[in-house]
Amino acid sequence: MGTRAMAVGMFCASVGMGCGGGDEESQSCSLSAQTGCAATQVCEEVEGAEPACFEPVTLRGRVVDSLDDKAIAGARVLARDANDAVISRVAVTKEDGTYELVVPARRDASGAPVKADVTLRADALAYETFPKAPRVALPIDLATAAGQPPSIASAATEIALLPLPDSADLGAVSGVVRADTPGGTLVVAGGATGAADLDGTYTIFNVPSGEVTVKGYAAGLALDTATATVSAGAETKGVDLHETGEATSVVSGKVEIVNAPGGSATSVILVVADTFDATAARGETPRGLRQGNVSGVFSIDGVPDGEYVILAAFENDALVRDPDTSIGGTEIVRITVAGAELPVQESFKVTGALAVVSPGASTLEEVSGTPTFVFEDDSSEDLYGVALFDALGKKIWENTEVPRVNGSEDVSVAYDGPALMPGMIYQFRATSWKDGAAISQTEDLKGVFLYK
């Protein structure tokens, strides 16, 4: 179901028309007309049947400071699908940090939510946006909703935000993306970002003071550009972006997969250049600017004008961008899109990843004491390098002389760096080297752990 269909499904009860009594399964409604449901219900898609009225699925959680567990009031929380498209309204946390977020949920014939993963994004003044490298958002399966009305409250709905080390010179920008389908538009100002609500309203926290340019990005959507004068500790309101037409540019190229027995396909994304972190090789991807299951040629349609970084092997697919920069096709590629089809001339090389064993092979693990980093041995290496990064992407420790192993499938490296802070998120990364060149590394989203 597309973003707009989800949006109207969320609000088909707003007209206030009754469903006519009877069980939920027998109540019908109109997604397109937003009619047919009682005030407390929402209109949802049903597998193999017409849409019907149900009590909504609600995510319940709390947003707190990661260092002292104190509640954060006024944080903005929203749900996104696998392509980072916003599928919910924005929930604003209360004084105690709690929030309730209604999300659309496709139903089976009995009315139960079917399996579908969503993730959360949270923003607040003076705090790092969640998720941001190396932190990842845990998927929430809507099929796990329980009770009546159905709800989910779990570790994945509890969000701990990291305070920024220096926020004295930061302010906020807010306004409306005035377009037919604004929901999920990525709005960027001074390198900081926010996501538009389904009605187009947005707020960007932590914008540097001074005059900044404000731009919006979403597949197929062309928007004008605005400017805003930001003051420290204040919110600059009324900075609206207006739809100017349809974005029709196409970015295309080719992925070449080499030496990768564990992976056969990857994804390609476009990251807005202003949000790209070179250390983490990560950034923010606008709604729809992604193609999955790529094993060769890729093509991404509807790209708005702007500057982007193209990344391949971004997700957990047993593949990584080939780190050997001495050969062609391994550099980070930056492009400028200006209203035309833009084929990428050079292919991307991706290769098999070093598998993470622990911590952080598949989930956000809790670690205490002295961590030991364990990863798969690369049989063709001369040595390894292992580094540890904090949640802001800062390298805090590195061992560049880890010897090769013999007679073992795994490599174990004990941490011997500065004391780690309880309650903080960290990520270790390992790289294998041969003849002075990097030949493989661990994946971007693995090796992440919570230190207790």
Side-chain angles (χ1 to χ4, degrees):
M1 181 167 59
T3 300
R4 181 163 178 79
M6 290 179 175
V8 297
M10 286 290 296
F11 308 121
C12 62
S14 63
V15 180
M17 297 181 65
C19 288
D23 297 334
E24 284 184 339
E25 292 85 343
S26 64
Q27 299 166 355
S28 62
C29 55
S30 170
L31 286 168
S32 59
Q34 304 183 33
T35 58
C37 294
T40 61
Q41 296 181 320
V42 292
C43 187
E44 306 274 37
E45 284 195 341
V46 180
E47 291 185 329
E50 294 298 318
C53 301
F54 304 95
E55 293 299 320
V57 172
T58 302
L59 306 183
R60 292 186 170 90
R62 187 166 174 257
V63 179
V64 299
D65 187 302
S66 65
L67 299 185
D68 56 19
D69 204 41
K70 290 183 178 178
I72 299 176
R76 291 167 61 89
V77 183
L78 51 82
R80 304 190 296 186
D81 67 11
N83 293 317
D84 289 339
V86 174
I87 60 170
S88 73
R89 281 201 176 277
V90 172
V92 179
T93 57
K94 301 176 183 178
E95 288 299 319
D96 62 357
T98 60
Y99 69 89
E100 294 186 354
L101 187 65
V102 173
V103 294
R106 186 180 178 89
R107 312 298 177 114
D108 63 18
S110 71
V114 301
K115 180 175 177 54
D117 288 338
V118 301
T119 60
L120 296 177
R121 170 175 172 148
D123 299 90
L125 187 64
Y127 288 89
E128 187 78 59
T129 291
F130 173 84
K132 188 172 183 180
R135 305 183 72 194
V136 295
L138 300 177
I140 302 167
D141 183 1
L142 299 184
T144 63
Q148 194 56 245
S151 65
I152 300 174
S154 67
T157 63
E158 299 292 313
I159 303 173
L161 296 184
L162 294 164
L164 293 170
D166 184 8
S167 59
D169 198 37
L170 303 178
V173 174
S174 63
V176 181
V177 176
R178 300 194 178 278
D180 287 341
T181 56
T185 299
L186 179 69
V187 189
V188 183
T193 67
D197 200 346
L198 294 174
D199 61 3
T201 58
Y202 75 88
T203 299
I204 307 175
F205 295 110
N206 308 316
V207 182
S209 59
E211 186 169 291
V212 298
T213 300
V214 183
K215 297 181 180 180
Y217 302 85
L221 181 61
L223 296 166
D224 62 6
T225 299
T227 58
T229 301
V230 180
S231 299
E235 180 179 340
T236 304
K237 300 181 179 181
V239 185
D240 294 354
L241 301 177
H242 302 84
E243 184 172 5
T244 60
E246 182 180 358
T248 59
S249 295
V250 179
V251 173
S252 58
K254 184 179 180 181
V255 169
E256 183 180 349
I257 300 175
V258 296
N259 299 324
S264 59
T266 187
S267 61
V268 175
I269 60 174
L270 302 186
V271 166
V272 175
D274 284 345
T275 73
F276 182 66
D277 181 339
T279 300
R282 296 279 300 279
E284 299 236 19
T285 302
R287 180 193 77 202
L289 299 189
R290 170 189 179 274
Q291 183 178 343
N293 198 33
V294 176
S295 57
V297 174
F298 70 87
S299 180
I300 300 176
D301 302 332
V303 182
D305 288 356
E307 296 182 353
Y308 300 91
V309 175
I310 309 177
L311 298 179
F314 178 76
E315 295 155 351
N316 291 337
D317 49 22
L319 298 169
V320 293
R321 182 177 63 88
D322 194 321
D324 186 356
T325 56
S326 66
I327 61 176
T330 61
E331 301 84 1
I332 294 291
V333 176
R334 297 174 180 266
I335 61 170
T336 299
V337 176
E341 185 169 309
L342 185 64
V344 178
Q345 300 299 325
E346 190 170 16
S347 64
F348 295 91
K349 286 189 173 69
V350 298
T351 190
L354 294 178
V356 169
V357 177
S358 68
S362 58
T363 61
L364 180 66
E365 295 183 33
E366 294 184 358
V367 175
S368 58
T370 301
T372 296
F373 309 130
V374 185
F375 53 93
E376 176 189 45
D377 178 39
D378 184 341
S379 59
S380 60
E381 89 295 349
D382 293 332
L383 54 78
Y384 296 97
V386 180
L388 187 69
F389 296 81
D390 66 17
L392 298 178
K394 179 182 178 181
K395 185 190 297 183
I396 61 173
W397 171 84
E398 186 174 28
N399 183 345
T400 60
E401 299 291 336
V402 178
R404 64 180 303 175
V405 300
N406 293 306
S408 174
E409 294 181 355
D410 299 326
V411 182
S412 297
V413 181
Y415 176 70
D416 60 1
L420 303 183
M421 295 181 60
M424 292 290 286
I425 301 286
Y426 296 92
Q427 182 189 36
F428 87 87
R429 304 178 200 164
T431 303
S432 57
W433 295 81
K434 183 177 179 62
D435 298 330
I439 57 175
S440 187
Q441 57 192 16
T442 52
E443 293 185 77
D444 293 336
L445 301 182
K446 294 194 174 185
V448 181
F449 62 94
L450 173 66
Y451 190 73
K452 301 292 286 185

